[in-house]
Amino acid sequence: MTKDLAIVTTTFYNNSEDGRLRRDLARDFFRAVIEKEYRAFAVDGGTDNGNFLEELRGLGVFAFEETQHGLGGSRREALKHATSYAETNGVADMRILWTEPEKVDLVEKVQELHDTAITTGADLIVPSRNSLNSYPLAQQWSESFGNQRHSDH
């Protein structure tokens, strides 16, 4: 286990076909995270009337019900839960990996990202994709622009 790492995210899935698919991907993500023995912190906005939260807790995720409604508030809550855990448990220099939990393949890169942050002294690492071809054109443009801005800095 990488003791100074917290994987932090928010969730909310409605009962649509898309919501169910994204919830299933999130389950796979959290299972992979826990299997690798990373700490995961999630704030959920009300999926399945709390059943999803209980499922996450059963996996070993530090899972909390959203109290600050909206994406910004719930993200701040999730980050606060991770930093409070670090303070309470004496984890100095906690590193935060923020991601959407549908990015299951990212779990395989977590250790590499963590090690890169340590060896380079980076304050921020932004992973990129090999190809943006699967994205809609508008997102391809915005991702390319954002990636270039990060590279420039």
Side-chain angles (χ1 to χ4, degrees):
M1 175 185 288
T2 303
K3 298 200 180 296
D4 62 346
L5 176 67
I7 298 175
V8 180
T9 193
T10 56
T11 58
F12 174 71
Y13 305 110
N14 61 28
N15 198 27
S16 68
E17 182 178 349
D18 181 60
R20 289 187 300 274
L21 172 62
R22 292 178 63 234
R23 185 178 56 231
D24 289 345
L25 288 168
R27 283 185 181 111
D28 292 345
F29 172 85
F30 286 116
R31 284 185 189 114
V33 164
I34 297 303
E35 183 177 292
K36 295 273 189 189
E37 298 185 344
Y38 298 127
R39 285 188 194 92
F41 295 82
V43 168
D44 183 72
T47 302
D48 294 344
N49 296 320
N51 293 329
F52 186 62
L53 272 176
E54 288 305 314
E55 182 179 349
L56 295 181
R57 291 175 184 140
L59 292 172
V61 175
F62 295 92
F64 304 90
E65 184 177 339
E66 172 188 86
T67 61
Q68 296 180 41
H69 300 298
L71 192 54
S74 63
R75 285 182 176 179
R76 284 188 293 277
E77 279 186 68
L79 291 165
K80 182 64 179 166
H81 288 299
T83 56
S84 293
Y85 176 92
E87 291 167 5
T88 302
N89 291 281
V91 181
D93 298 324
M94 175 72 82
R95 286 171 176 73
I96 304 287
L97 186 148
W98 172 269
T99 186
E100 284 81 24
E102 297 84 18
K103 294 185 167 90
V104 179
D105 291 345
L106 180 68
V107 178
E108 292 302 318
K109 297 288 186 181
V110 168
Q111 192 64 53
E112 179 183 345
L113 292 168
H114 177 268
D115 294 348
T116 298
I118 298 291
T119 58
T120 64
D123 292 325
L124 175 69
I125 294 179
V126 181
S128 64
R129 293 179 181 264
N130 293 332
S131 170
L132 302 177
N133 292 338
S134 65
Y135 285 166
L137 284 178
Q139 190 172 0
Q140 287 181 33
W141 181 86
S142 65
E143 292 283 334
S144 296
F145 179 77
N147 289 344
Q148 187 59 52
R149 294 279 297 164
H150 288 294
S151 295
D152 291 347
H153 288 97

